Amino acid sequence: MPIFMPNDGKMIRGHMGKYTQDTPITGFDHISASPPTVQSLLVATAARLLHDLGDAAPDRVIVRTEARGGRRFLGIEKNGVLIDGIYRNHDGAYSIIFDYLMTTIRECIAAAQADNCPIRLINMVWLHGESDRALTREVYHDLFLTLIDDVESRLADTGIAIHWTVVQPSGTGAEGNGNAWPNRLAIFDLADKRANFDVPVTGYAFAQHDASHYSAEGKLLLGESLGRAIAQRLTGTRSPLPQPVRAEIDDCDVVLTIAADAPIVLDTQTLPQPDITLQGFSSHDKHNAILQEVTVEGPRQLRLRFNSAPDPATLMIHYAYRNRNRVEVSQDVRYPAGRGCLRTTWSAPSCLMTGRHIYDWAAGFSIRVADLVLQDI
């Protein structure tokens, strides 16, 4: 497949947040030149994108990462050690990661133009969250929006469209704390504001090899899901992930209406079933009503049954959004502790892994039911 990487010797992974010898990008190498030990979900993304676009596929896709794991938006000083941020350092200066991102994009644009195969779209794939899990929803939203505005203003003179394809972060496995992180909700606030920003994939449904990093299998299937979503957006067929849009309260029951492209299902086979939630669902209210059963009522309705009538004003329902308390025992199955079973009936065979499929899993959410009771579908 025509999947390429810059020829500056940094290959797919880029500078990884470190100052290195400055070798400018003058062209592109095929990704087959990258060491087989270096696996990138972006290559799987590009492969699925090319596969799904078929005859409408571009002449080539260039993949490159400029990132480093475990970094906050803003850098910090900890025990006398300076830790760079993704965007800015603790003193407000732009971080090395951000500077290299801007430099890499500019050099790729120039090299592609010189090669008479100009870049038509810059697609920013964003996967971040754990290091900033303590930030409020509003603060994370504002930081991300500031970065987006900065990137887009710096590249406005190129005339090239930019799109942000964002993964809802998965959360940690049984060795970690789960995934009730405000930033997992903040990204949907941004998607509501920006036409060039969407959240087409939620990360909890992909296998990990430890508490917080995806396994080889997880990277492949996550990458494919991203590639499929980008292809759908480019062809005008993409819709948001399944999420609740209406609630009806009937004594001990709450019926949620889910906005989705296809009928919904509670899949208890594809992923290991959650062991600290009820198929991914949990709740709380001032009456301490206990959630006892979740069933599919219709093509796009879920019924949640409680042991007693919950308080309509204070009832919160969470899905794939749950922190694991230290006293709770959770089986280490190499999937996030805060995972769930809700998806649509849509599926497609993997083009990279025989016998595997990709799905549209519902996004993790945390809602106040009173906010949905009067909402229109």
Side-chain angles (χ1 to χ4, degrees), residues 39-50:
Q39 187 185 27
S40 168
L41 67 84
L42 292 184
V43 175
T45 300
R48 185 79 198 199
L49 172 66
L50 291 165

Side-chain angles (χ1 to χ4, degrees), residues 6 8 54 65 136 173 186 197 209 262 357:
D8 60 350
T65 299
T136 66
F197 184 112
H209 76 82
H357 288 72

Side-chain angles (χ1 to χ4, degrees), residues 287-338:
H287 291 168
N288 294 318
I290 299 173
L291 180 61
Q292 293 188 314
E293 185 181 28
V294 180
T295 56
V296 174
E297 283 287 297
R300 289 168 180 81
Q301 276 78 39
L302 282 174
R303 182 175 295 274
L304 282 68
R305 178 154 291 167
F306 294 81
N307 70 330
S308 60
D311 175 50
T314 61
L315 177 61
M316 295 287 298
I317 294 177
H318 319 283
Y319 169 75
Y321 192 83
R322 174 71 149 77
N323 279 340
R324 184 185 67 85
N325 298 325
R326 292 183 182 273
V327 297
E328 290 179 312
V329 177
S330 180
Q331 184 180 4
D332 186 8
V333 293
R334 298 306 185 196
Y335 279 86

Side-chain angles (χ1 to χ4, degrees), residues 7 59 82 94 116 150 153 157 188 279 300 335-336 360 369:
N7 69 348
D59 292 335
L82 300 180
Y94 286 112
N116 200 30
D150 202 345
S153 65
D157 64 299
F188 291 100
Q279 298 188 81
R300 289 168 180 81
Y335 279 86
D360 276 337
V369 168

Side-chain angles (χ1 to χ4, degrees), residues 1 16 22 34 69 93 98 114 118 152-153 197 213 216 281 283 321 355:
M1 286 185 164
M16 298 191 70
D22 187 15
S34 179
F98 186 82
E152 293 183 358
S153 65
F197 184 112
H213 297 92
F281 290 87
S283 66
Y321 192 83

